[in-house]
Amino acid sequence: KPPTSRNTWPTRAERAKTAAPPDSAPLFAALGDETRLRLVDRLCAGGALSITELASDSDVTRQAITKHLHVLENAGLVQSVRSGRQTLWELTPGQLRDAQRFLDDISGRWDQAIGRLKDKVEK
């Protein structure tokens, strides 16, 4: 049976306030792949890049890079932009900000729980 103290368990309103962003499963699934994480990192550092630029210095083929970019695009993390005959890929930062806020909320709740545990152990 859960304790009745408000300091121990978050209320329903508090849990709803820190709930995962809507449709976040595809977002976190897309970020759960090492190749896609590297692509996001490259796009963070280099701005809009072509498939050729993203595939340079990689063991992954351009075709595989394209498939990974489509997964990231479906998760709302990247978008393609036509520039002449070339397609450039760039980050769509809104989803990353939502994910960051959600992870920050979880981290804060963990810190509070550990603080409560420390207080109980030290009593």
Side-chain angles (χ1 to χ4, degrees):
K1 182 176 173 183
T4 56
S5 170
R6 277 187 46 83
N7 293 334
T8 305
W9 299 101
T11 65
R12 181 178 294 190
E14 291 167 335
R15 285 192 311 270
K17 186 171 64 172
T18 60
D23 301 324
S24 61
L27 169 96
F28 287 108
L31 294 173
D33 179 87
E34 184 179 337
T35 301
R36 290 191 286 270
L37 274 175
R38 278 189 269 135
L39 290 171
V40 168
D41 184 50
R42 294 271 319 265
L43 291 170
C44 282
L49 298 169
S50 69
I51 300 282
T52 304
E53 293 167 322
L54 289 167
S56 68
D57 299 330
S58 176
D59 296 334
V60 181
T61 66
R62 287 188 304 212
Q63 182 179 11
I65 295 286
T66 300
K67 288 181 181 182
H68 284 294
L69 286 167
H70 286 293
V71 171
L72 291 169
E73 184 177 42
N74 289 336
L77 291 164
V78 300
Q79 65 183 4
S80 61
V81 179
R82 290 294 286 175
S83 177
R85 295 185 332 173
Q86 202 172 39
T87 300
L88 300 177
W89 292 85
E90 62 186 10
L91 281 177
T92 324
Q95 285 283 64
L96 284 176
R97 276 193 292 261
D98 290 345
Q100 181 64 49
R101 277 192 292 273
F102 174 65
L103 294 173
D104 286 345
D105 288 341
I106 289 174
S107 177
R109 287 191 282 157
W110 269 104
D111 290 345
Q112 290 171 357
I114 288 180
R116 288 190 305 269
L117 178 62
K118 180 182 175 203
D119 290 344
K120 284 188 181 267
V121 168
E122 290 176 349
K123 284 184 180 183

